[in-house]
Amino acid sequence: HEVTRRVWLRGPLAHERGPASPRSRVPAHRKRKARASAPSPRWGFACLPDQRVRVRVSGVNVSLGDVHIERGLTRGTPDDGAVATWDGAAWSAVLHVSGTPDPEGFWIRGKLASGKEWLHRGAHALWPTATSMVGRLEQWASFSNEPDQAYESGVAMVRAAAIAGVPPGATGVRAALHLLPVQPPLRRPTRVTLALPAEVASEHVGLYRRDGDADIWEWTDATFDSTAHAFRAESSRLGQFALLRDMKPPAVTVLAVPARAHARSRAYSTWALVARVTDTASGVLGRASGFIVDGVRVPTEWDAEMRLLRWRPLASPAPGRHAYRVEALDRAGRRTVRTGVFVITSR
């Protein structure tokens, strides 16, 4: 026998609240500090069963009172808004989010200590998930919502934002698509499409993804549709998506080349030709990078953690002078070539 219960927490509805509690007093020095360093409100979301979502807003004045989080597109029902509760760092509330798509998103409102009303509108539009409807943002971004892609029906929060945290050696193209929440994972990958501006070429551009602002942008194996002038990729997680152009080829440094092998003192050859390869934007394409020795491409190992290309033959090369060429290619199609010579004096 098996019993399953799903429970989620929410703030009280209007008829469930008791008498209004007195506003907590905030020390004057904390107010001054908050005014001097208050960031803009940051919105976060967590999907709950039955088309409910927990909305969490941080970076909001700590002295607010009577705080509510509400739907921008009201329908005249109690589910349009909820009392927000303070968890020590942010205000949060659970709302029912049926009736989507909804371009109006959410508002947070409250009262300042002076009694004046304060409000802020979130920039997220609401799109249903687990439907045949294609989610869209303006004319340059879209994502699939097939019924079998999510474990249950829900809502995705969508907005455009400036591309931030771009890695060294790259530049952003247009804006980032934020698809939230990142959790839970999808049952089947969603197809994300980002279009390039008509006047922007696709060379060395790729579609990147990350979970949130504190994470690094990661390359996705997107395909370019020349007809639509857009990149398409599949992702098993929502998050932030953006088009970035890789501006620099990989940096290659050939490490010291041994002059001779020491076969007599070791059980096997430890001779190796090694180069360090780094690329901070799209990353190194290991399968397309390697060494060419005496005009012949040799088996090359790509150590992604150490960022090293290695050629380790079963036996050291024959004595004499050998010319080598190392080619490093990044995922955006930029290439770096280094050449040199090594000499084997004896076996």
Side-chain angles (χ1 to χ4, degrees), residues 270-283:
T270 59
W271 191 96
L273 189 60
V274 183
R276 186 177 305 280
V277 183
T278 58
D279 189 280
T280 57
S282 61

